[in-house]
Structure formats: structure tokens, C-alpha cells
Amino acid sequence: SKTAEADQNKPLRVATNATFVPFEFKDNDQSSEYKGFEMDLIRAIAKEMGRTIEYNNIPFSGIIPIIQQGDMDIAAAGMTMTKDRASKVLFSAPFYESKLVILTPKNSGIQSINDLKGKTIAVQLGTTGADYAEAKGIANKQFDSNAEAIMELQVGGSPAAIIDKPVADYFVSQDGKGKFDVIPIPDTKSEYLAFAMNKKDTELQKQVNAAMAKLKENGEYQKIYEKWFHS
Ligand code: ARG
């Protein structure tokens, strides 16, 4: 197995898909720093561990493979802990609760999951939202970024998207205010978002969980939470 000591002085290589507001995103300006709840959290965790960060912004669907190959150390990508993924990567302790919802423009006529029959919805490639649409036989267009999936609704290309509740709620409280609705999906359960690491990196998993526990104890996690979710 890899030696944790040897990695200690190297930057922590973080794979993300910075299109998932408010967890990870960049402003339109390409020189923008990585922003969001999860970006602040991973920065605080790395600081606890005494390591710097090297970011890699890639399509969400490429994240699990790159972690499996060992080319990146940790995924900070709003990733839902699923059984299937747990067979491929190691998850940290969860940092956020989520659930799938329908995001739809007001007056789209969509009020429940049944109204999506015969429509083509927008989802992000490789996500649990895309899996759900596929499993239910809902026609869907799959985008590389979450921002593009939401854009598709804004330009009228699709009448709905299936995405994570905190992301939909945040959108409706900001850019989508007064223009979009969030509709629950009755047959979905609560899920948890966590960081993902290589199967062999049990030492890194321990360090990340210890750092996160410390940030919860000392109030730092709460501060970051309030910055993004309470204003
Ligand atoms: N939570 C969902 C999943 O795991 C969506 C994650 C999308 N993340 C992102 N950075 N675009 O599939």
C-alpha cells in the first residue's frame, strides 16, 4: 500500500467539477478561485493536514476513473455515496445530506414526476440524477456540466432537470428566484454527499475524517456551513 508519510509533503490533488453551485463553482472569469461550501471545506481539511491543494476541474463522469487510477487523491465533487460507487472508491464521512428533486421553470405545467412522461429532461452525465431518469425510462439529455443542464432550462430546451435538492434550492434562492420551482420526488430517499478516495488510501481517509471531525468540534464546519447556506 502507499505510504502516507511520502504523500505528506505533496499537494493534495483534488478532482472536482466546478459547476455545482453552491458546493463547487468558479465565476465566469476563468481566473476565478474555486468557490463553494465543499471547496472551503476541503481547503480547511487540507490546512488541518498541513497540505496544499492542487485542483483539477474535470467532467463529473471522469472523476471516479481518475481516482481509481490514482492520478488524483480525492474527489470533492458533491458526490453522492452510492453502493455502486462504494465498490470503486473509498468514501469519507458524509458532509451533507441531499435528495433528488425536479427543477422546473414556473408555468412549465410540471407538477410531479408523472408529468415528465413524454418530455425530454436535462441531467448531468454520470450523476445520480441521470441514473434516476434512466431507471425510470424518462427521456433525457446528458450534459458534461451541471451549469449546462440548468442553462438548458433557462433557454427553454428542456422543461425540467433532475438534480440534487441543495443545488436546486440554492438556484431558486438566487438566479432562479421567482422563475423556477423545486418539486419533490416521492420515491427518492435521502442521500449523503462525501469525498471519494482511492480504495488503497485508507490512511488518507483516516486523516480526512479526523480533520473533518476536528472542524465540526471547533466550529469551523459550522462557520463554512453558515457562509453558504444561511443568509
Ligand atoms: N450528487 C450527484 C451525484 O453524485 C450530483 C453530483 C454532481 N457534482 C458536480 N460537481 N457537478 O451524482
mmCIF file of all heavy atoms in Angstrom, residues 17 19-20 24 60 77-80 85 124 127-128 164 193, ligand 1:
data_model
loop_
_atom_site.group_PDB
_atom_site.id
_atom_site.type_symbol
_atom_site.label_atom_id
_atom_site.label_comp_id
_atom_site.label_asym_id
_atom_site.label_seq_id
_atom_site.Cartn_x
_atom_site.Cartn_y
_atom_site.Cartn_z
ATOM 1 N N ASN A 17 -15.661 19.058 -10.222
ATOM 2 C CA ASN A 17 -16.335 19.554 -11.417
ATOM 3 C C ASN A 17 -17.034 20.813 -10.943
ATOM 4 O O ASN A 17 -18.108 20.762 -10.334
ATOM 5 C CB ASN A 17 -17.331 18.527 -11.961
ATOM 6 C CG ASN A 17 -18.129 19.081 -13.124
ATOM 7 O OD1 ASN A 17 -19.312 19.372 -12.989
ATOM 8 N ND2 ASN A 17 -17.496 19.276 -14.254
ATOM 9 N N THR A 19 -19.074 23.116 -11.307
ATOM 10 C CA THR A 19 -20.287 23.636 -11.951
ATOM 11 C C THR A 19 -21.489 23.381 -11.060
ATOM 12 O O THR A 19 -22.624 23.345 -11.521
ATOM 13 C CB THR A 19 -20.535 22.960 -13.324
ATOM 14 O OG1 THR A 19 -20.954 21.593 -13.122
ATOM 15 C CG2 THR A 19 -19.304 22.985 -14.205
ATOM 16 N N PHE A 20 -21.258 23.172 -9.770
ATOM 17 C CA PHE A 20 -22.276 22.660 -8.870
ATOM 18 C C PHE A 20 -22.473 23.640 -7.707
ATOM 19 O O PHE A 20 -22.025 23.405 -6.592
ATOM 20 C CB PHE A 20 -21.806 21.286 -8.386
ATOM 21 C CG PHE A 20 -22.858 20.328 -7.926
ATOM 22 C CD1 PHE A 20 -23.927 19.960 -8.730
ATOM 23 C CD2 PHE A 20 -22.759 19.751 -6.662
ATOM 24 C CE1 PHE A 20 -24.870 19.034 -8.287
ATOM 25 C CE2 PHE A 20 -23.688 18.820 -6.214
ATOM 26 C CZ PHE A 20 -24.752 18.470 -7.036
ATOM 27 N N GLU A 24 -19.342 23.667 -5.430
ATOM 28 C CA GLU A 24 -18.080 23.984 -6.107
ATOM 29 C C GLU A 24 -18.399 24.692 -7.399
ATOM 30 O O GLU A 24 -19.224 24.226 -8.175
ATOM 31 C CB GLU A 24 -17.239 22.726 -6.405
ATOM 32 C CG GLU A 24 -18.018 21.553 -6.990
ATOM 33 C CD GLU A 24 -18.425 20.565 -5.917
ATOM 34 O OE1 GLU A 24 -17.761 20.540 -4.871
ATOM 35 O OE2 GLU A 24 -19.405 19.842 -6.115
ATOM 36 N N PHE A 60 -17.646 15.540 -14.489
ATOM 37 C CA PHE A 60 -18.023 14.709 -13.350
ATOM 38 C C PHE A 60 -17.850 13.225 -13.656
ATOM 39 O O PHE A 60 -17.387 12.455 -12.810
ATOM 40 C CB PHE A 60 -19.469 15.014 -12.931
ATOM 41 C CG PHE A 60 -19.880 14.290 -11.686
ATOM 42 C CD1 PHE A 60 -19.466 14.732 -10.441
ATOM 43 C CD2 PHE A 60 -20.667 13.143 -11.757
ATOM 44 C CE1 PHE A 60 -19.828 14.054 -9.283
ATOM 45 C CE2 PHE A 60 -21.025 12.458 -10.612
ATOM 46 C CZ PHE A 60 -20.609 12.913 -9.376
ATOM 47 N N ALA A 77 -16.646 16.757 -5.161
ATOM 48 C CA ALA A 77 -17.494 16.996 -6.333
ATOM 49 C C ALA A 77 -18.974 16.779 -6.049
ATOM 50 O O ALA A 77 -19.728 16.375 -6.927
ATOM 51 C CB ALA A 77 -17.040 16.087 -7.479
ATOM 52 N N GLY A 78 -19.390 17.026 -4.820
ATOM 53 C CA GLY A 78 -20.809 16.847 -4.487
ATOM 54 C C GLY A 78 -21.254 15.428 -4.750
ATOM 55 O O GLY A 78 -22.386 15.179 -5.142
ATOM 56 N N MET A 79 -20.340 14.496 -4.512
ATOM 57 C CA MET A 79 -20.611 13.121 -4.910
ATOM 58 C C MET A 79 -21.481 12.382 -3.899
ATOM 59 O O MET A 79 -21.170 12.332 -2.707
ATOM 60 C CB MET A 79 -19.303 12.367 -5.124
ATOM 61 C CG MET A 79 -19.539 11.014 -5.793
ATOM 62 S SD MET A 79 -18.008 10.188 -6.172
ATOM 63 C CE MET A 79 -17.484 11.125 -7.613
ATOM 64 N N THR A 80 -22.567 11.829 -4.401
ATOM 65 C CA THR A 80 -23.463 11.031 -3.568
ATOM 66 C C THR A 80 -22.827 9.681 -3.279
ATOM 67 O O THR A 80 -22.289 9.032 -4.176
ATOM 68 C CB THR A 80 -24.805 10.817 -4.301
ATOM 69 O OG1 THR A 80 -25.357 12.102 -4.600
ATOM 70 C CG2 THR A 80 -25.791 10.027 -3.447
ATOM 71 N N ARG A 85 -20.816 3.095 -6.358
ATOM 72 C CA ARG A 85 -19.565 3.854 -6.244
ATOM 73 C C ARG A 85 -18.702 3.333 -5.101
ATOM 74 O O ARG A 85 -17.469 3.353 -5.196
ATOM 75 C CB ARG A 85 -19.880 5.336 -6.051
ATOM 76 C CG ARG A 85 -20.422 5.986 -7.303
ATOM 77 C CD ARG A 85 -20.887 7.385 -7.014
ATOM 78 N NE ARG A 85 -21.428 8.037 -8.202
ATOM 79 C CZ ARG A 85 -22.187 9.122 -8.169
ATOM 80 N NH1 ARG A 85 -22.510 9.669 -7.017
ATOM 81 N NH2 ARG A 85 -22.634 9.645 -9.292
ATOM 82 N N GLN A 124 -27.102 15.915 -15.632
ATOM 83 C CA GLN A 124 -25.654 15.930 -15.826
ATOM 84 C C GLN A 124 -25.154 14.496 -15.970
ATOM 85 O O GLN A 124 -25.505 13.615 -15.171
ATOM 86 C CB GLN A 124 -24.935 16.626 -14.660
ATOM 87 C CG GLN A 124 -23.434 16.749 -14.932
ATOM 88 C CD GLN A 124 -22.647 17.424 -13.827
ATOM 89 O OE1 GLN A 124 -23.136 17.632 -12.715
ATOM 90 N NE2 GLN A 124 -21.399 17.753 -14.143
ATOM 91 N N THR A 127 -24.285 11.404 -13.210
ATOM 92 C CA THR A 127 -24.813 11.719 -11.873
ATOM 93 C C THR A 127 -25.972 10.804 -11.482
ATOM 94 O O THR A 127 -26.544 10.097 -12.317
ATOM 95 C CB THR A 127 -25.331 13.174 -11.810
ATOM 96 O OG1 THR A 127 -26.418 13.321 -12.748
ATOM 97 C CG2 THR A 127 -24.236 14.167 -12.142
ATOM 98 N N THR A 128 -26.329 10.875 -10.211
ATOM 99 C CA THR A 128 -27.469 10.117 -9.708
ATOM 100 C C THR A 128 -28.770 10.590 -10.370
ATOM 101 O O THR A 128 -29.693 9.804 -10.531
ATOM 102 C CB THR A 128 -27.573 10.251 -8.178
ATOM 103 O OG1 THR A 128 -27.472 11.632 -7.818
ATOM 104 C CG2 THR A 128 -26.456 9.479 -7.489
ATOM 105 N N ASP A 164 -29.705 17.541 -7.471
ATOM 106 C CA ASP A 164 -29.669 17.486 -6.002
ATOM 107 C C ASP A 164 -30.440 18.662 -5.396
ATOM 108 O O ASP A 164 -30.306 19.804 -5.835
ATOM 109 C CB ASP A 164 -28.220 17.529 -5.506
ATOM 110 C CG ASP A 164 -27.451 16.257 -5.828
ATOM 111 O OD1 ASP A 164 -27.423 15.875 -7.019
ATOM 112 O OD2 ASP A 164 -26.882 15.653 -4.907
ATOM 113 N N LEU A 193 -23.668 13.240 0.677
ATOM 114 C CA LEU A 193 -22.534 13.641 -0.152
ATOM 115 C C LEU A 193 -21.248 13.455 0.660
ATOM 116 O O LEU A 193 -21.220 13.755 1.861
ATOM 117 C CB LEU A 193 -22.669 15.105 -0.566
ATOM 118 C CG LEU A 193 -23.999 15.510 -1.223
ATOM 119 C CD1 LEU A 193 -23.967 16.994 -1.625
ATOM 120 C CD2 LEU A 193 -24.313 14.639 -2.435
HETATM 121 N N1 ARG B 1 -24.795 14.258 -6.180
HETATM 122 C C1 ARG B 1 -24.918 13.892 -7.553
HETATM 123 C C2 ARG B 1 -24.107 12.662 -7.859
HETATM 124 O O1 ARG B 1 -23.319 12.248 -7.107
HETATM 125 C C3 ARG B 1 -24.510 15.013 -8.487
HETATM 126 C C4 ARG B 1 -23.108 15.489 -8.316
HETATM 127 C C5 ARG B 1 -22.680 16.496 -9.367
HETATM 128 N N2 ARG B 1 -21.464 17.132 -9.000
HETATM 129 C C6 ARG B 1 -20.842 18.095 -9.676
HETATM 130 N N3 ARG B 1 -19.739 18.597 -9.187
HETATM 131 N N4 ARG B 1 -21.311 18.521 -10.805
HETATM 132 O O2 ARG B 1 -24.219 12.067 -8.875
#
